[in-house]
Amino acid sequence: MESSEGPRSGPGTAVRYAPWPRPKDSPSGATGSQVTLRVNGASHAVEVDHRTTLLDLLRERLALTGSKKGCDHGQCGACTVLVDGRRANSCLLLAVAMDGCDVVTVEGLAETDGTDGDLHPLQRAFLERDAFQCGYCTPGQLCSAVGMLAEAESGEPSVVTDPERAPGGPVPLTDEEIRERLSGNLCRCGAYPHIVEAVRDVIT
């Protein structure tokens, strides 16, 4: 197996590391498994390396490039998708663990709530409110907002929800609630005020 030169640990000394084996270098089944998952309503059966993330599967294998790779550490939210109706950072999910799951990406949002290929109400609101600039974070912002609306509708509290609120029923989405619930999605262009306005348009 090839080796690559790593950082030097002392004068004239090189530490060598063996690279990760590629799937074709390993015995069949040793590093890969077949998974079947539904993505935007379509069923896909794919053989994936055990180290492949859901984000890489979507982008590299299924050509769904709407979900973006930003930090690759689950800190920016650009890769947010819906998994079984719950928002999740796809860069942190192993594809092999998604067997049997239902995944919705930004490409499938219109199909979940639109009619005849029309845009999802949140997509229309983002356009009308100009809730983006470069657009890199927008797919994650949209998927996160869709998931957030469902969470609030089901009565799930956030850290800013009034603790004296009677249990049961939807949580009223004030601007403070919207900002808190979307705080895991970063926008380096600073379009936050318009994003809040777009979400508010959908719930009013």
Side-chain angles (χ1 to χ4, degrees):
M1 182 179 292
E2 298 176 354
S3 61
S4 58
E5 185 173 302
R8 294 182 178 276
S9 58
T13 303
V15 180
R16 295 183 178 273
Y17 302 95
W20 282 98
R22 297 181 297 275
K24 68 182 183 63
D25 296 329
S26 306
S28 177
T31 63
S33 296
Q34 181 165 312
V35 298
T36 301
L37 67 166
R38 288 178 59 82
V39 182
N40 299 332
S43 180
H44 297 273
V46 290
E47 184 83 17
V48 296
D49 185 280
H50 292 160
R51 296 161 295 181
T52 301
T53 64
L54 175 59
L55 176 60
D56 286 336
L57 171 64
L58 294 171
R59 291 181 57 84
E60 307 298 334
R61 301 289 299 280
L62 302 183
L64 294 170
T65 56
S67 304
K68 304 305 182 189
K69 181 175 286 192
C71 65
D72 213 21
H73 287 78
Q75 297 176 349
C76 72
C79 67
T80 305
V81 298
L82 301 173
V83 178
D84 292 336
R86 306 282 298 183
R87 51 185 173 158
N89 292 325
S90 58
C91 74
L92 296 182
L93 299 176
L94 290 176
V96 71
M98 297 294 101
D99 191 37
C101 290
D102 192 344
V103 178
V104 176
T105 69
V106 69
E107 290 93 340
L109 285 184
E111 297 174 12
T112 64
D113 201 1
T115 57
D116 298 327
D118 195 9
L119 292 177
H120 187 283
L122 270 168
Q123 291 174 309
R124 290 196 300 270
F126 267 59
L127 287 171
E128 292 168 359
R129 287 291 186 174
D130 196 23
F132 51 85
Q133 288 188 39
C134 76
Y136 194 84
C137 73
T138 305
Q141 299 277 3
L142 286 165
C143 287
S144 186
V146 171
M148 177 271 291
L149 291 175
E151 292 165 9
E153 181 66 24
S154 67
E156 296 184 29
S158 75
V159 297
V160 299
T161 302
D162 184 359
E164 303 300 323
R165 183 184 70 91
V171 176
L173 285 176
T174 63
D175 285 2
E176 185 182 20
E177 280 278 1
I178 295 171
R179 286 193 293 267
E180 169 58 32
R181 290 172 183 266
L182 293 180
S183 61
N185 290 80
L186 305 183
C187 174
R188 290 184 174 89
C189 298
Y192 298 114
H194 290 184
I195 292 172
V196 173
E197 291 172 357
V199 175
R200 192 194 308 127
D201 287 348
V202 172
I203 63 179
T204 54

